[in-house]
Amino acid sequence: MLKNVQDILNEFRDYVINEAKKKAPTSSGNLKNGIKSYVKESKNSIQISFEMPDYGFFQDQGVKGVSSGKGNFRFGSGTGPKGGLRKGILEWVKRKNLQFRDRKGRYLSHKSTAYLIVRSIWNKGLKPSLFFTKPFEKAFKKLPDELIEKYGLDMVQLFDEITRENLKK
């Protein structure tokens, strides 16, 4: 029989979280600090869940742009808040004090800089970084076969379900 199932899953969780935080493609600590996981063992089941800010799923899985790009998501699906990308990029541009320059060397406003970044992302998309997926899959492969067989865990499917549920919020 399995011993210390909770310990095995805690190790799995800790590895995935630590590696995902190391590889998270963001200059802000919001994503890294927002990656969390919970392991709950009940009498007849085990539940492991991962959480992160919504944009973490987009960065992990990628977003197809209008004219190119690869990813599991696409812009313009109507599921996100209207103007959410523009607002988020504008806040980021202001926080980082980014300002592009025009051809004459003059600084553009934060709003114009954000517009150009949003337009580029909209057209080209976001390349999948797999900062969460790769550590998850690597850790999953190391789980003892007996654990997977006994509890019938299909964690890859679970990850897909978690991703879909978080995007519905």
Side-chain angles (χ1 to χ4, degrees):
M1 283 298 172
L2 288 175
K3 294 181 181 177
N4 305 317
V5 171
Q6 186 82 31
D7 291 341
I8 292 170
L9 290 177
N10 284 338
E11 286 178 25
F12 171 82
R13 174 201 63 205
D14 293 345
Y15 175 82
V16 172
I17 296 290
N18 290 333
E19 291 300 306
K21 285 181 177 185
K22 285 181 198 174
K23 299 175 190 308
T26 181
S27 58
S28 163
N30 292 340
L31 178 56
K32 291 177 184 179
N33 295 333
I35 302 173
K36 296 180 171 94
S37 180
Y38 308 96
V39 176
K40 183 180 177 184
E41 186 177 357
S42 302
K43 185 176 179 181
N44 296 319
S45 66
I46 300 170
Q47 179 181 0
I48 184 166
S49 61
F50 291 92
E51 297 175 0
M52 71 175 105
D54 289 343
Y55 67 91
F57 291 99
F58 296 122
Q59 288 187 337
D60 181 67
Q61 297 292 303
V63 180
K64 293 177 189 171
V66 173
S67 59
S68 66
K70 296 180 181 178
N72 289 339
F73 303 107
R74 67 179 174 81
F75 286 114
S77 64
T79 58
K82 187 115 175 118
L85 178 62
R86 275 180 265 140
K87 181 181 175 195
I89 295 294
L90 179 57
E91 289 171 5
W92 179 75
V93 164
K94 287 180 179 177
R95 188 172 59 246
K96 296 294 180 182
N97 197 26
L98 293 176
Q99 289 180 283
F100 293 154
R101 292 180 185 236
D102 66 13
R103 292 174 194 219
K104 294 181 181 178
R106 297 174 297 200
Y107 285 106
L108 297 176
S109 68
H110 289 119
K111 192 172 183 178
S112 294
T113 299
Y115 170 80
L116 292 172
I117 293 171
V118 168
R119 187 176 69 180
S120 176
I121 293 171
W122 179 265
N123 286 319
K124 296 176 186 174
L126 293 174
K127 182 180 174 186
S129 67
L130 305 176
F131 77 94
F132 183 85
T133 299
K134 285 185 178 181
F136 182 93
E137 290 174 349
K138 185 176 181 180
F140 182 75
K141 288 177 184 175
K142 293 179 181 179
L143 284 175
D145 290 340
E146 185 181 358
L147 177 68
I148 296 168
E149 290 169 17
K150 180 167 175 74
Y151 289 95
L153 296 176
D154 186 356
M155 291 187 161
V156 174
Q157 180 182 2
L158 178 63
F159 174 67
D160 289 341
E161 290 173 16
I162 292 167
T163 300
R164 282 192 294 274
E165 283 300 313
N166 278 314
L167 294 175
K168 288 180 184 176
K169 294 179 183 177

